[in-house]
Amino acid sequence: MGEILEIRNLTKKYPGVLALDKVSFSLNTGEVHALVGENGAGKSTLIKILAGVVKPDAGEIIIEGESVVFSHPLESLQKGIAVTYQDLNLFPNLSIAENIGLSQQIETGKLFINWKNIIQKARDVVNELGVELDVNQKLGYLSIANQQLVAIARAMIHDAKILILDEPTASLAKKDVENLFKAINVLKKKGIAIIFVSHKLDEIFEISDRISVLRNGKYMGTYAVEDVTKEELISYMVGRKVHYKKYEAREAGEVLLEVRNISKRGNYKNISFNLHKGEVLGITGLVGSGRTEVAQTIFGNNLPESGEILLEGKKVDLTSTSKALEYGIGYVPENRQTEGLVLDKSLETNISVTILEELIGKVKTIDKKKTRKTVKKWIEVMGINPPYPEMDVGQFSGGNQQKAVIAKWLARNPKLLIVDEPTSGIDVGAKSEIHSLLRELANDGMGIIVVSSEIPEILAICDRILVMRRGRIVCELKGNEYTQKEILNKAMGVGK
Amino acid sequence: MKKYKHLFIVFIAIFILLSLLSPSRFLSLNNLQTMLAQVPEFGIITLGMMIVILTGGINLSITSASAFSGIMAASFLVKYGHSDFNIFLIILATVIIAILAAIFTGVLNGTIIAYIGVTPIIVTLGTKILLEGICIRFTKGGGISNYPEEFFYLGSGTIFGIPVPFVIFALIVIFLYILLEKTSWGTKVYFIGSNETAANFSGINVRKIKMQVYIISSILSAAAAIIMMSRYNSVKANLGSSYLLQSIAASVLGGTNIAGGKGSVFGTVIAIGIIQIISSGLNILNVNRFITDSIMGLILIVVLLINSFQNNHQLSSLFSFRKKVGS
Amino acid sequence: MGSIFKKKEANIILVMIVLSILISLRSEAYFSVENFIDIFKSNTVLAILSMGMLMAIITGGIDVSIAATTVAVTVITGKLMVNFDMNIVTVIITAAVCGIILGAINGFFISKFRIPPIVVTLGTLSIYRGLTLFFTNGRWITNIPLWFQDFGDIKPLGLPIQLYFLLGVALLSHIILNYTILGRGIYAIGGNPEATNRVGFKKERIELFIYSYIGFVSGIAAVVHSSIVKMVDPGALSGFEMEVVAAVVLGGANILGGEGSVGGALLGVLMLGIINNGLILARIPTYWQQIIVGFIILAAVSFDVLQRKRIERSMLKIDVE
């Protein structure tokens, strides 16, 4: 087994964040090399650099002894690097065979498509991967798992030497994972090097040869799978965090929200929990654990099939987001750019949208002065910078955008605020500001649910934590009786 | 105001140009009055189109809905207009019937678009064809005419020298301006047009508002129908059908983004004005009326090209910004 | 589940069978070879244009200038035929070239400047129609040469010549869509526009091709139209573009892009033809045609969306243990 890829001192800086800090590692032919680390550890930045999507600030990528620089994703592909993202770049309306072989046909520059060839090749590859798929079937009707296999097959047809799988098993069922692993083993035997990014430790131990750990953008080491235990690995990933101040859990107030045994197929099952006034409740779990689905149910955007939800002891009918708003529930969605804000509208419009009815003046029209005053107040409270209400919200930085989403809900003064990944992709300063703010709001009596995959964050601000795994609550942790490692264990299904 | 500054300058420039080219005729009271009388029917339909485009939709059934409302109203008016009932109550009832018919078509579109989730262009194409059939069913391919004398006031009367249709149009413009740009409802419409998902996650009842938008669009088309009925003393199944594509063109010319979220009532009104003075002006200058159509099409494309350059500029600056932030 | 595409076409056929049975109950003349040939012949222009519109719709676009382009070409070729010594081959070539130029203008603005197809073609619709009416002053061209009039009545193998044009265009479209790399690119744009360039397609070029092809198809339709009506009316086919869109959508194409087939579009045309023809034969007032077609469109697309939502819902998001 020879070395096919070497990375030396790769560094990438974003404003306020050092995403990669002199990361080095190497990859051998025919090995499965797992890349692990918490959210924000730098895995996705590393992948993006290898895929040619992002340019590094410093450092070197060496493929088969040759130093390379990618300025476009196609260049990376030409060097034999294939990446399957969560978004697979596939065409749902084309057949499996086409999705696998079309780009190769385009390269021939011919007029006609060679159906025989494309189907035969696709069949061969699919067979080689050991999966049973009718290659003439339309891709759109395949499960995510099989679509992933198609993406892998496409990489094979391009004679990829390095295949990067980014969280391929995040939303897969057990038997699909087995199929995927079968395919990975086939690739391995062909001498293809695989970088496997995952949070699921059992799977990593099952499939990988070596594991490299990233933490806060730093390379923490590479371990042969037989030389390391899961517990050790988690402690390498977690390390010591200093930048979060831990809050003391407090006595809870009266019950604000009661979720009674809600279930929905393909989403979650038998979810029950309470939230008290003045409490910060964390919901954590891996991608695909059902945490966001539960959160959206409480915000009226995902009607459960059974069970009921009570707010202040009364049953509520959460059939739409506008009803949730009327009940006094707010929701800061996961993706502020596509879900949280309307980027081409001003900061003022975005913040005031939840309270339009309160801003109506004498003649049923919106009172401009009152709006400006209210918005200015929230800009100040949240410390949004620059403090320009007329500026399009799309022009603010990530942290300020997130503050704007929170501001728009605080303006409404909700009884219950749900925040989904409140600090993803924003700098440390803004992060801790948002954390203090959430705590303060709870102190003032608001009930807060924090949905996050970042366990240190959950630990830092929550009074109580629900850990979800595969659509169920696997445990509820109270007080200070838990550590980051224990929670990660539960979320990943490691240990008892 | 600066949003439609360019457009307003174009309007003034064309107005001055035409005035200079043919001062005696273009600036004559007669011509000005004719223009004011002609603008409303097209203008109201365009506003009905524009409000739908603001949500990211389109309403191909707008002129058929207009004809449908007109035919329902006319059927009633012809039957009872010459009876002994109080004529003003009859006219009032006629207007109410037109509005009820409009609500029917608006609810039909709104239900399928907002609640079932079908693309507006296809739904409204379907309702267009359906309504045309129903219209022919009632008119038997001909027209419904012979309205009572008093009814013509709505289309041909004047108030202080201003044509009544124009007064109606002006009232509608003011109403829509306030509704869209000054009320919470309007803000929500713009929000939905820019980003429906984000609007939903802001607790806006997206479906209800879209439904209301299609109803308002239909009601506007009914208002245009009443004016046209009164002006022409007849309704046919193809009432106003030539305004369909023109109204989309005028909306876009007025700065309405065809993808939704952007556009203003006054911008649209200026575009309507531009189209009106060009067609009147070219008519006065004895320019072939068909060439006028071509010029309108050309103006539309040129304006879009300018918009496209501006947008591309904005887009590129947005991207470079994002790269900087790295999110 | 993989064959919903074919299922859609089967649904169209089912609706047509039901309609046919209903019509034949009231008209004995309906089920005859002559009648069906007649249905086809009177709808060849619609069918030919639907082949072009289909491609635009598959990419998620639309071309509302299609009828105006066709009429413009009928006028150009009509004038040339009257004033110059031409034969059928030169007429067809001129028609095709003129159509391609007019279509390429659309394609240029759509692909280069990223202006939405509906708006561009709306603009060119006015331009083309205005110019056509201007140059003819709205007057009909009635002195079409006899040789061309006779050409329209040829019936090789007993079938009207117009059907051969349709067959040619349909076959060509089918081959482009299914057997060329370009054709798969057309589907790819409709399925995942962001990813088309990433797998190596050239989206701009494909779009330019599509709208030029629509122009080509309009040119052919122009020849066929003139050969049927045997004169040129510069004001003809007004609003016909919507009928073309309706036929293509009835034929199972998804207006949002990605889906649609030549067979389906032809079935859509046939359905419109059958409803029209059948109602006439059954002596049912023709306005019922529109009422029925409008209703079918609304019902079909609603049903389609509801079904799609159900499938989406049933697709597993999270494997709940």
Side-chain angles (χ1 to χ4, degrees), chain C residues 146-294:
Chain C
L146 270 180
W147 61 265
F148 187 78
Q149 299 201 19
D150 292 340
F151 172 75
D153 293 329
I154 304 176
K155 286 189 173 175
L157 304 174
L159 291 176
I161 185 77
Q162 288 83 5
L163 288 187
Y164 291 89
F165 281 92
L166 169 58
L167 204 67
V169 171
L171 218 61
L172 180 62
S173 306
H174 183 75
I175 290 169
I176 290 174
L177 282 176
N178 292 293
Y179 297 101
T180 68
I181 291 168
L182 174 81
R184 305 319 288 170
I186 294 175
Y187 281 99
I189 292 177
N192 189 350
E194 287 81 29
T196 31
N197 282 345
R198 278 184 231 150
V199 301
F201 283 118
K202 303 241 176 343
K203 192 169 162 224
E204 280 188 18
R205 269 195 231 168
I206 296 175
E207 282 176 339
L208 183 61
F209 168 81
I210 290 168
Y211 291 92
S212 308
Y213 184 78
I214 293 176
F216 164 75
V217 157
S218 307
I220 300 298
V223 175
V224 169
H225 184 69
S226 303
S227 78
I228 294 174
V229 297
K230 298 186 191 332
M231 54 112 184
V232 174
D233 171 8
L237 298 180
S238 171
F240 197 62
E241 56 275 350
M242 289 303 161
E243 223 169 296
V244 181
V245 174
V248 174
V249 171
L250 271 182
N254 183 349
I255 197 88
L256 296 175
E259 283 172 43
S261 68
V262 166
L266 289 177
L267 284 176
V269 172
L270 191 59
M271 172 132 81
L272 289 183
I274 284 179
I275 294 171
N276 198 11
N277 168 278
L279 293 180
I280 291 171
L281 287 182
R283 279 181 298 276
I284 296 170
T286 44
Y287 53 77
W288 278 105
Q289 180 210 359
Q290 281 171 303
I291 296 175
I292 292 170
V293 170

Side-chain angles (χ1 to χ4, degrees), chain A residues 210-247:
Chain A
R210 292 195 294 166
I211 305 169
S212 287
V213 184
L214 290 180
R215 186 166 85 206
N216 289 337
K218 288 198 177 67
Y219 171 66
M220 302 307 296
T222 300
Y223 309 92
V225 72
E226 53 281 0
D227 299 342
V228 69
T229 66
K230 285 175 196 171
E231 284 73 16
E232 281 169 346
L233 206 58
I234 288 177
S235 68
Y236 298 144
M237 285 161 59
V238 172
R240 299 213 191 296
K241 301 269 175 180
V242 282
H243 56 267
Y244 292 135
K245 194 174 133 217
K246 187 143 171 55
Y247 286 83

Side-chain angles (χ1 to χ4, degrees), chain A residues 74 87 89-94 98 102-103 105-106 108 110-113 115 137-138 140-143 154 171-174 264 266-269 288-290 293 469-472, chain C residues 1-5 58 175 178-182 184-201 257-259 311 313-321:
Chain A
L74 279 177
D87 164 29
N89 265 340
L90 297 170
F91 300 92
N93 59 331
L94 299 183
E98 284 177 279
L102 204 53
S103 46
Q105 292 264 327
I106 300 168
T108 65
K110 287 191 182 134
L111 177 61
F112 289 100
I113 188 167
W115 276 111
Q137 206 185 3
K138 259 215 262 177
Y141 297 106
L142 294 187
S143 64
R154 183 171 64 183
S171 44
L172 299 196
K174 266 218 171 80
K264 181 167 185 173
N267 281 253
Y268 47 74
K269 201 167 180 190
S289 59
E293 285 74 9
R469 196 170 120 72
R470 298 209 150 167
R472 286 177 187 269
Chain C
M1 228 176 19
S3 58
I4 190 160
F5 207 49
I58 290 175
I175 290 169
N178 292 293
Y179 297 101
T180 68
I181 291 168
L182 174 81
R184 305 319 288 170
I186 294 175
Y187 281 99
I189 292 177
N192 189 350
E194 287 81 29
T196 31
N197 282 345
R198 278 184 231 150
V199 301
F201 283 118
E259 283 172 43
I311 291 172
R313 228 175 291 139
S314 71
M315 275 181 117
L316 201 63
K317 274 208 288 188
I318 291 164
D319 183 38
V320 181
E321 272 183 348

Side-chain angles (χ1 to χ4, degrees), chain B residues 70-82:
Chain B
I71 286 164
M72 291 299 128
S75 308
F76 172 83
L77 186 61
V78 168
K79 196 163 176 196
Y80 297 102
H82 301 283

